[in-house]
Structures are given as structure tokens and as C-alpha cells.
Amino acid sequence: CSGIGMCQASGRCSCGKDRGLEDCSGCGASHYTVSKQPALDIIHRCAPCPMPKNQVCAGRGVCVDDLYAKAVGDAWDVGNGSCICAATFFNGSDQWSRQTCAQGTCPGGFQEVLLPAEHLNHPRIKTCLACEACDAGTFASPGGQCKSCHPGYFSSHGSHSCSPCPAGSSSRTLGAVECSLCSAGTYAPSGSAVCHPCAEGTISVKGSAKCEPCNSRSIFWVHADNQNLTCIRPSEQYLILLLFFASS
């Protein structure tokens, strides 16, 4: 076992966490070769990968350890101990100029979550922290987590903030992805959670930001489809009949 590990009854070597290969002569996962023993060139001296926040590469990428170097290169290749970050927004280096991925944050509209890491090609690391775009109806400030938009607001995929509903529309629920136009006879200013009914003597069409007053000699009339409202001026005969029935 290269004078490093312990030989078990089965004849196999029991190596430490920093050792690799069947005879313990190589470096294990999250370790890389810094030099080889002068007397025995096949025995590697191993060093650990960066461990900020007590996680290899801060959990935000994979280390170029010996396992990675051999997986993407040749069997005799060794690693350099630097980190490959899962997101371009992650960075940082240590006193040995190794990239650590410990600094940097996800930009607005993204949140830091655990995602598959197959694209990083490490034979052991299958997931790591990376940046994922917020769903429609949510938002995230830089370095934050995705949160639902409040009523009266909406957002699209990957938004850093929620937009107020345009005047003449509203959204009643948390996490709205769009706003609904106000029906005829109602109105809403920008950022409204509900559409408000027009006051007596005023009128509006579908999608109105405000209601318009009717002429003092007009009455309010709603069409059957409830989509178009108009103020109409009644005939004198209609007013006489109205007054007659009102007084009878």
C-alpha cells in the first residue's frame, strides 16, 4: 500500500481520505498532486482543494483534482487544485492563486439553488450551487431568492422586480404573470389589485383608467354584452312617462 495505507485481510489497501488508486499512491477525491516523492516517483504528495465555507469550492463548482484531470485528460494527468465555478458570476481566489468560487452572487432575476452539475464533467460531483432564473410571477434582487409578486403587480421569467399593472387593469393574486383588463363600468389606476366600479353618473369602457362623467341631461345605459357603455339623452316623451310613473 505504498507505505501509506493499511493492507486488509482481503489483500486490498485501506487508504486515507486524501489518497487514491488501489495502492494508495495517488490522490483521492477533492485532493490533487502537488509533488511526487523524490525517492519513489510514483507516490504522490497530495493537498486538499479549496474549502471555503467548509465545502469544496464553496459548493459552487468542482475542483480540478486528480480524478477530474484523469477524467477529462490522460490517466497520468494530475490536477491543479483550482475550482471551476458553476456560474460565471462566482469567483474569488486564495493565497495560492487557486480559484475558490466563494465570492460573487447571482444577478437580479436569478437565485442560487442546487442544480445538476453533469456539464462540469467531474466523475464524482453530480450537483452544486448555481444560478437559476426566477419563474414568471416572481422576482429576485441581486444575491436574493425568488419571491412572489404582490397583488397589483406581475413579472415575466427572470425578472429582477415586479411591474405594476398598467392603468385599466388589475391582478388579484400573488405571483401574477399578467394583468386582466377592467370590465366596462369599472376602472383602475396603475398597480391596482382590483377594478373599482364607476360612481353614479360616470361611465367607462373596458380597460379604463378612470370614469368619465355623463352629461347632466343624460342617463346611464348598459348594453346587453356588458362591454360597451354609453350615456344617452332620453326623449321628452320618455321623461314625461318616467315622471308620470314616479308620481303615481
Side-chain angles (χ1 to χ4, degrees):
C1 298
S2 305
I4 298 172
M6 294 183 63
C7 185
Q8 298 176 324
S10 62
R12 305 190 67 171
C13 293
S14 176
C15 308
K17 290 183 178 180
D18 63 329
R19 309 307 303 184
L21 303 181
E22 291 184 358
D23 61 356
C24 304
S25 63
C27 298
S30 303
H31 290 76
Y32 65 103
T33 299
V34 291
S35 66
K36 295 181 180 181
Q37 300 284 358
L40 296 170
D41 193 49
I42 62 169
I43 300 178
H44 299 221
R45 187 166 67 87
C46 305
C49 292
M51 292 277 291
K53 303 178 183 178
N54 294 319
Q55 289 183 289
V56 176
C57 301
R60 296 166 131 198
V62 300
C63 179
V64 182
D65 54 15
D66 285 5
L67 288 178
Y68 177 88
K70 288 174 173 56
V72 301
D74 295 314
W76 54 83
D77 287 344
V78 296
N80 58 21
S82 194
C83 294
I84 299 175
C85 305
T88 57
F89 314 106
F90 301 156
N91 51 66
S93 59
D94 61 14
Q95 62 268 41
W96 295 288
S97 299
R98 301 178 304 180
Q99 182 159 272
T100 64
C101 306
Q103 298 178 15
T105 59
C106 296
F110 290 77
Q111 64 178 350
E112 190 171 329
V113 294
L114 199 64
L115 293 174
E118 285 85 356
H119 64 288
L120 298 178
N121 299 317
H122 195 283
R124 295 278 184 89
I125 307 301
K126 302 304 179 185
T127 60
C128 62
L129 294 170
C131 298
E132 182 179 52
C134 294
D135 292 333
T138 67
F139 75 101
S141 55
Q145 295 295 301
C146 299
K147 300 178 181 178
S148 296
C149 296
H150 291 296
Y153 291 77
F154 73 103
S155 74
S156 57
H157 183 75
S159 294
H160 63 84
S161 63
C162 296
S163 301
C165 289
S169 65
S170 67
S171 64
R172 292 176 174 269
T173 61
L174 281 169
V177 299
E178 61 182 0
C179 301
S180 302
L181 289 177
C182 296
S183 59
T186 66
Y187 73 100
S190 176
S192 294
V194 295
C195 296
H196 308 284
C198 292
E200 185 177 354
T202 61
I203 195 172
S204 73
V205 296
K206 184 177 181 179
S208 293
K210 62 179 181 179
C211 299
E212 301 293 340
C214 287
N215 184 283
S216 59
R217 298 186 64 185
S218 302
I219 65 170
F220 191 63
W221 180 263
V222 183
H223 280 290
D225 62 6
N226 202 34
Q227 296 298 311
N228 298 294
L229 304 181
T230 56
C231 293
I232 62 170
R233 182 178 178 180
S235 63
E236 292 183 0
Q237 293 88 342
Y238 178 82
L239 290 176
I240 293 172
L241 288 173
L242 186 63
L243 290 172
F244 172 79
F245 286 111
S247 61
S248 59

PDB file of all heavy atoms in Angstrom, residues 149-172:
ATOM      1  N   CYS A 149     -44.687  38.097  -6.714  1.00  0.00           N
ATOM      2  CA  CYS A 149     -45.151  39.475  -6.861  1.00  0.00           C
ATOM      3  C   CYS A 149     -46.412  39.683  -6.023  1.00  0.00           C
ATOM      4  O   CYS A 149     -47.228  38.785  -5.881  1.00  0.00           O
ATOM      5  CB  CYS A 149     -45.469  39.775  -8.328  1.00  0.00           C
ATOM      6  SG  CYS A 149     -44.046  39.708  -9.434  1.00  0.00           S
ATOM      7  N   HIS A 150     -46.574  40.883  -5.477  1.00  0.00           N
ATOM      8  CA  HIS A 150     -47.766  41.220  -4.703  1.00  0.00           C
ATOM      9  C   HIS A 150     -48.950  41.465  -5.642  1.00  0.00           C
ATOM     10  O   HIS A 150     -48.770  41.752  -6.830  1.00  0.00           O
ATOM     11  CB  HIS A 150     -47.508  42.459  -3.850  1.00  0.00           C
ATOM     12  CG  HIS A 150     -46.534  42.231  -2.731  1.00  0.00           C
ATOM     13  ND1 HIS A 150     -46.781  41.367  -1.696  1.00  0.00           N
ATOM     14  CD2 HIS A 150     -45.306  42.750  -2.509  1.00  0.00           C
ATOM     15  CE1 HIS A 150     -45.765  41.362  -0.864  1.00  0.00           C
ATOM     16  NE2 HIS A 150     -44.843  42.192  -1.338  1.00  0.00           N
ATOM     17  N   PRO A 151     -50.186  41.359  -5.119  1.00  0.00           N
ATOM     18  CA  PRO A 151     -51.354  41.717  -5.941  1.00  0.00           C
ATOM     19  C   PRO A 151     -51.199  43.135  -6.497  1.00  0.00           C
ATOM     20  O   PRO A 151     -50.712  44.035  -5.808  1.00  0.00           O
ATOM     21  CB  PRO A 151     -52.516  41.624  -4.947  1.00  0.00           C
ATOM     22  CG  PRO A 151     -52.068  40.599  -3.954  1.00  0.00           C
ATOM     23  CD  PRO A 151     -50.592  40.836  -3.795  1.00  0.00           C
ATOM     24  N   GLY A 152     -51.600  43.307  -7.734  1.00  0.00           N
ATOM     25  CA  GLY A 152     -51.433  44.596  -8.395  1.00  0.00           C
ATOM     26  C   GLY A 152     -50.151  44.689  -9.201  1.00  0.00           C
ATOM     27  O   GLY A 152     -49.904  45.686  -9.871  1.00  0.00           O
ATOM     28  N   TYR A 153     -49.341  43.607  -9.137  1.00  0.00           N
ATOM     29  CA  TYR A 153     -48.059  43.580  -9.852  1.00  0.00           C
ATOM     30  C   TYR A 153     -47.918  42.250 -10.590  1.00  0.00           C
ATOM     31  O   TYR A 153     -48.585  41.269 -10.274  1.00  0.00           O
ATOM     32  CB  TYR A 153     -46.897  43.775  -8.883  1.00  0.00           C
ATOM     33  CG  TYR A 153     -46.823  45.166  -8.300  1.00  0.00           C
ATOM     34  CD1 TYR A 153     -47.679  45.557  -7.278  1.00  0.00           C
ATOM     35  CD2 TYR A 153     -45.909  46.096  -8.776  1.00  0.00           C
ATOM     36  CE1 TYR A 153     -47.633  46.841  -6.747  1.00  0.00           C
ATOM     37  CE2 TYR A 153     -45.839  47.376  -8.258  1.00  0.00           C
ATOM     38  CZ  TYR A 153     -46.707  47.735  -7.239  1.00  0.00           C
ATOM     39  OH  TYR A 153     -46.655  49.015  -6.730  1.00  0.00           O
ATOM     40  N   PHE A 154     -47.008  42.200 -11.548  1.00  0.00           N
ATOM     41  CA  PHE A 154     -46.772  40.981 -12.320  1.00  0.00           C
ATOM     42  C   PHE A 154     -45.319  40.966 -12.776  1.00  0.00           C
ATOM     43  O   PHE A 154     -44.601  41.980 -12.680  1.00  0.00           O
ATOM     44  CB  PHE A 154     -47.715  40.917 -13.530  1.00  0.00           C
ATOM     45  CG  PHE A 154     -47.354  41.883 -14.629  1.00  0.00           C
ATOM     46  CD1 PHE A 154     -46.709  41.443 -15.778  1.00  0.00           C
ATOM     47  CD2 PHE A 154     -47.657  43.249 -14.519  1.00  0.00           C
ATOM     48  CE1 PHE A 154     -46.367  42.330 -16.794  1.00  0.00           C
ATOM     49  CE2 PHE A 154     -47.315  44.147 -15.520  1.00  0.00           C
ATOM     50  CZ  PHE A 154     -46.673  43.683 -16.669  1.00  0.00           C
ATOM     51  N   SER A 155     -44.857  39.807 -13.267  1.00  0.00           N
ATOM     52  CA  SER A 155     -43.488  39.732 -13.801  1.00  0.00           C
ATOM     53  C   SER A 155     -43.402  38.627 -14.828  1.00  0.00           C
ATOM     54  O   SER A 155     -44.214  37.699 -14.851  1.00  0.00           O
ATOM     55  CB  SER A 155     -42.476  39.487 -12.678  1.00  0.00           C
ATOM     56  OG  SER A 155     -42.552  38.144 -12.223  1.00  0.00           O
ATOM     57  N   SER A 156     -42.376  38.711 -15.659  1.00  0.00           N
ATOM     58  CA  SER A 156     -42.075  37.665 -16.640  1.00  0.00           C
ATOM     59  C   SER A 156     -40.900  36.832 -16.127  1.00  0.00           C
ATOM     60  O   SER A 156     -40.327  37.108 -15.071  1.00  0.00           O
ATOM     61  CB  SER A 156     -41.749  38.293 -17.993  1.00  0.00           C
ATOM     62  OG  SER A 156     -40.671  39.206 -17.860  1.00  0.00           O
ATOM     63  N   HIS A 157     -40.512  35.815 -16.876  1.00  0.00           N
ATOM     64  CA  HIS A 157     -39.425  34.911 -16.498  1.00  0.00           C
ATOM     65  C   HIS A 157     -38.114  35.671 -16.323  1.00  0.00           C
ATOM     66  O   HIS A 157     -37.741  36.493 -17.145  1.00  0.00           O
ATOM     67  CB  HIS A 157     -39.281  33.846 -17.586  1.00  0.00           C
ATOM     68  CG  HIS A 157     -38.247  32.808 -17.309  1.00  0.00           C
ATOM     69  ND1 HIS A 157     -38.421  31.797 -16.395  1.00  0.00           N
ATOM     70  CD2 HIS A 157     -37.005  32.633 -17.833  1.00  0.00           C
ATOM     71  CE1 HIS A 157     -37.347  31.036 -16.374  1.00  0.00           C
ATOM     72  NE2 HIS A 157     -36.472  31.524 -17.231  1.00  0.00           N
ATOM     73  N   GLY A 158     -37.413  35.419 -15.213  1.00  0.00           N
ATOM     74  CA  GLY A 158     -36.109  36.027 -14.976  1.00  0.00           C
ATOM     75  C   GLY A 158     -36.151  37.509 -14.658  1.00  0.00           C
ATOM     76  O   GLY A 158     -35.240  38.245 -15.046  1.00  0.00           O
ATOM     77  N   SER A 159     -37.146  37.954 -13.897  1.00  0.00           N
ATOM     78  CA  SER A 159     -37.296  39.382 -13.587  1.00  0.00           C
ATOM     79  C   SER A 159     -36.601  39.747 -12.272  1.00  0.00           C
ATOM     80  O   SER A 159     -36.634  38.991 -11.309  1.00  0.00           O
ATOM     81  CB  SER A 159     -38.774  39.756 -13.482  1.00  0.00           C
ATOM     82  OG  SER A 159     -39.423  39.621 -14.726  1.00  0.00           O
ATOM     83  N   HIS A 160     -35.979  40.917 -12.248  1.00  0.00           N
ATOM     84  CA  HIS A 160     -35.347  41.409 -11.016  1.00  0.00           C
ATOM     85  C   HIS A 160     -36.307  42.252 -10.182  1.00  0.00           C
ATOM     86  O   HIS A 160     -35.998  42.606  -9.038  1.00  0.00           O
ATOM     87  CB  HIS A 160     -34.095  42.231 -11.342  1.00  0.00           C
ATOM     88  CG  HIS A 160     -34.367  43.473 -12.136  1.00  0.00           C
ATOM     89  ND1 HIS A 160     -34.759  44.652 -11.561  1.00  0.00           N
ATOM     90  CD2 HIS A 160     -34.317  43.701 -13.476  1.00  0.00           C
ATOM     91  CE1 HIS A 160     -34.924  45.573 -12.500  1.00  0.00           C
ATOM     92  NE2 HIS A 160     -34.677  45.012 -13.678  1.00  0.00           N
ATOM     93  N   SER A 161     -37.480  42.572 -10.732  1.00  0.00           N
ATOM     94  CA  SER A 161     -38.501  43.304  -9.990  1.00  0.00           C
ATOM     95  C   SER A 161     -39.855  43.035 -10.642  1.00  0.00           C
ATOM     96  O   SER A 161     -39.922  42.552 -11.775  1.00  0.00           O
ATOM     97  CB  SER A 161     -38.207  44.808  -9.978  1.00  0.00           C
ATOM     98  OG  SER A 161     -38.250  45.331 -11.296  1.00  0.00           O
ATOM     99  N   CYS A 162     -40.916  43.344  -9.914  1.00  0.00           N
ATOM    100  CA  CYS A 162     -42.264  43.183 -10.457  1.00  0.00           C
ATOM    101  C   CYS A 162     -42.746  44.520 -11.013  1.00  0.00           C
ATOM    102  O   CYS A 162     -42.430  45.581 -10.467  1.00  0.00           O
ATOM    103  CB  CYS A 162     -43.218  42.695  -9.366  1.00  0.00           C
ATOM    104  SG  CYS A 162     -42.807  41.066  -8.727  1.00  0.00           S
ATOM    105  N   SER A 163     -43.506  44.469 -12.071  1.00  0.00           N
ATOM    106  CA  SER A 163     -44.037  45.678 -12.701  1.00  0.00           C
ATOM    107  C   SER A 163     -45.480  45.908 -12.254  1.00  0.00           C
ATOM    108  O   SER A 163     -46.236  44.942 -12.113  1.00  0.00           O
ATOM    109  CB  SER A 163     -43.995  45.550 -14.223  1.00  0.00           C
ATOM    110  OG  SER A 163     -42.676  45.331 -14.677  1.00  0.00           O
ATOM    111  N   PRO A 164     -45.862  47.167 -12.030  1.00  0.00           N
ATOM    112  CA  PRO A 164     -47.260  47.419 -11.661  1.00  0.00           C
ATOM    113  C   PRO A 164     -48.187  47.157 -12.846  1.00  0.00           C
ATOM    114  O   PRO A 164     -47.803  47.356 -13.999  1.00  0.00           O
ATOM    115  CB  PRO A 164     -47.255  48.904 -11.272  1.00  0.00           C
ATOM    116  CG  PRO A 164     -46.102  49.488 -12.021  1.00  0.00           C
ATOM    117  CD  PRO A 164     -45.059  48.398 -12.078  1.00  0.00           C
ATOM    118  N   CYS A 165     -49.368  46.676 -12.554  1.00  0.00           N
ATOM    119  CA  CYS A 165     -50.359  46.504 -13.620  1.00  0.00           C
ATOM    120  C   CYS A 165     -50.625  47.848 -14.276  1.00  0.00           C
ATOM    121  O   CYS A 165     -50.766  48.868 -13.580  1.00  0.00           O
ATOM    122  CB  CYS A 165     -51.661  45.949 -13.044  1.00  0.00           C
ATOM    123  SG  CYS A 165     -51.553  44.217 -12.518  1.00  0.00           S
ATOM    124  N   PRO A 166     -50.688  47.900 -15.597  1.00  0.00           N
ATOM    125  CA  PRO A 166     -50.983  49.172 -16.255  1.00  0.00           C
ATOM    126  C   PRO A 166     -52.359  49.694 -15.838  1.00  0.00           C
ATOM    127  O   PRO A 166     -53.241  48.926 -15.454  1.00  0.00           O
ATOM    128  CB  PRO A 166     -50.961  48.808 -17.744  1.00  0.00           C
ATOM    129  CG  PRO A 166     -50.187  47.535 -17.827  1.00  0.00           C
ATOM    130  CD  PRO A 166     -50.478  46.808 -16.558  1.00  0.00           C
ATOM    131  N   ALA A 167     -52.523  50.992 -15.892  1.00  0.00           N
ATOM    132  CA  ALA A 167     -53.824  51.592 -15.591  1.00  0.00           C
ATOM    133  C   ALA A 167     -54.891  50.954 -16.479  1.00  0.00           C
ATOM    134  O   ALA A 167     -54.661  50.729 -17.667  1.00  0.00           O
ATOM    135  CB  ALA A 167     -53.770  53.096 -15.813  1.00  0.00           C
ATOM    136  N   GLY A 168     -56.035  50.649 -15.888  1.00  0.00           N
ATOM    137  CA  GLY A 168     -57.102  49.994 -16.627  1.00  0.00           C
ATOM    138  C   GLY A 168     -57.074  48.486 -16.508  1.00  0.00           C
ATOM    139  O   GLY A 168     -57.835  47.789 -17.172  1.00  0.00           O
ATOM    140  N   SER A 169     -56.181  47.957 -15.656  1.00  0.00           N
ATOM    141  CA  SER A 169     -56.089  46.518 -15.450  1.00  0.00           C
ATOM    142  C   SER A 169     -55.761  46.239 -13.985  1.00  0.00           C
ATOM    143  O   SER A 169     -55.402  47.140 -13.224  1.00  0.00           O
ATOM    144  CB  SER A 169     -55.030  45.896 -16.365  1.00  0.00           C
ATOM    145  OG  SER A 169     -53.737  46.376 -16.025  1.00  0.00           O
ATOM    146  N   SER A 170     -55.829  44.957 -13.584  1.00  0.00           N
ATOM    147  CA  SER A 170     -55.563  44.597 -12.191  1.00  0.00           C
ATOM    148  C   SER A 170     -55.138  43.133 -12.102  1.00  0.00           C
ATOM    149  O   SER A 170     -55.315  42.357 -13.042  1.00  0.00           O
ATOM    150  CB  SER A 170     -56.823  44.813 -11.332  1.00  0.00           C
ATOM    151  OG  SER A 170     -57.848  43.902 -11.713  1.00  0.00           O
ATOM    152  N   SER A 171     -54.549  42.768 -10.962  1.00  0.00           N
ATOM    153  CA  SER A 171     -54.242  41.369 -10.656  1.00  0.00           C
ATOM    154  C   SER A 171     -54.546  41.145  -9.176  1.00  0.00           C
ATOM    155  O   SER A 171     -54.027  41.850  -8.319  1.00  0.00           O
ATOM    156  CB  SER A 171     -52.773  41.036 -10.955  1.00  0.00           C
ATOM    157  OG  SER A 171     -51.901  41.766 -10.117  1.00  0.00           O
ATOM    158  N   ARG A 172     -55.388  40.156  -8.898  1.00  0.00           N
ATOM    159  CA  ARG A 172     -55.851  39.928  -7.533  1.00  0.00           C
ATOM    160  C   ARG A 172     -54.930  39.016  -6.731  1.00  0.00           C
ATOM    161  O   ARG A 172     -54.942  39.042  -5.512  1.00  0.00           O
ATOM    162  CB  ARG A 172     -57.252  39.291  -7.559  1.00  0.00           C
ATOM    163  CG  ARG A 172     -58.353  40.194  -8.081  1.00  0.00           C
ATOM    164  CD  ARG A 172     -59.675  39.437  -8.155  1.00  0.00           C
ATOM    165  NE  ARG A 172     -60.789  40.300  -8.520  1.00  0.00           N
ATOM    166  CZ  ARG A 172     -61.543  40.943  -7.637  1.00  0.00           C
ATOM    167  NH1 ARG A 172     -61.302  40.794  -6.345  1.00  0.00           N
ATOM    168  NH2 ARG A 172     -62.531  41.709  -8.032  1.00  0.00           N
TER     169      ARG A 172
END
